[in-house]
Amino acid sequence: MRTFRSRTTVLAASGATVLALSLTACGGSGTGVRSSGSAEETTTVKLSAAQGSGSGGSAGSKASSPVCTTGDVSVSAARHGGPPYTHIVLTAKNTSGRSCTMAGFPEIQFLESHRENVPPVAKSKPSAPVVLKAGAPAYALVKLSDGGAHEENEIVTDFSVTLQGGGGMTAVKAPGEGGIAVDPAKWATGYWTYELRNGADDF
């Protein structure tokens, strides 16, 4: 999977609290490389004070639900806040028709020149497994940069997301016509969760 980029200095600043995203569903099964689109329509993700619970799954399903794969979920990216943008939100929607578990955090690679994954933010880890019912979404907040104009920022139009637990890799289109600006020294990702949470997903 190739990551397309151009080295361009851009402006990025702290985002607002409104989250714009859309869910792009695709079916099928398997754990190979898939391609997902970016989110263009606007919707709102609830901000919750809860740190480890949600409505996407049930206690009875957590012990038996298999790990979500790229054949079970459709992954899309949406800008978070207003321009210029410092964060995006990944949405993984369960399109499989059965429950599955979103393991850990998304393993993201933005640039070919930086092969290491975007590091996770420990405080974002939920206290219980994130089990998605059929049709339910999970979210992960991703920090791109601290904002401002920096030579270290690079433009990314496509990137890869690997689902942990053997879930496979999918190619995700970056939101916006011009892509997103990333800074390898500042980027970070939250864990998969039922909803973005105040405190746990503030980074």
Side-chain angles (χ1 to χ4, degrees):
M1 179 272 172
R2 290 183 59 81
T3 301
F4 302 95
R5 72 185 193 277
S6 62
R7 297 180 176 273
T8 307
T9 299
V10 300
L11 294 178
S14 178
T17 59
V18 177
L19 167 68
L21 59 92
S22 94
L23 309 176
T24 303
C26 51
S29 61
T31 59
V33 177
R34 290 169 57 90
S35 179
S36 299
S38 65
E40 297 298 337
E41 297 179 1
T42 300
T43 186
T44 299
V45 175
K46 178 183 178 183
L47 289 175
S48 170
Q51 298 296 312
S53 63
S55 58
S58 62
S61 64
K62 290 177 180 177
S64 59
S65 296
V67 171
C68 296
T69 71
T70 54
D72 298 321
V73 298
S74 173
V75 181
S76 61
R79 288 169 167 172
H80 181 63
Y85 302 95
T86 60
H87 292 73
I88 59 172
V89 172
L90 296 181
T91 300
K93 183 177 181 180
N94 184 356
T95 60
S96 69
R98 60 181 175 84
S99 295
C100 65
T101 301
M102 292 298 294
F105 56 89
E107 296 183 352
I108 304 168
Q109 289 194 356
F110 281 127
L111 300 171
E112 290 180 343
S113 58
H114 293 77
R115 299 302 299 173
E116 71 276 9
N117 294 328
V118 174
V121 177
K123 70 175 183 177
S124 176
K125 185 176 181 179
S127 61
V130 175
V131 178
L132 299 183
K133 295 178 181 178
Y139 305 100
L141 185 68
V142 182
K143 181 178 180 179
L144 306 175
S145 70
D146 276 345
H150 300 287
E151 292 183 357
E152 294 80 5
N153 288 356
E154 298 190 53
I155 297 296
V156 172
T157 56
D158 299 89
F159 56 94
S160 70
V161 173
T162 298
L163 303 183
Q164 292 185 328
M169 179 189 293
T170 184
V172 179
K173 179 177 173 57
E177 293 183 0
I180 53 178
V182 300
D183 181 352
K186 302 298 182 180
W187 61 30
T189 181
Y191 283 71
W192 293 113
T193 184
Y194 295 118
E195 56 190 2
L196 299 184
R197 300 148 298 164
N198 290 325
D201 292 307
D202 292 334
F203 57 85

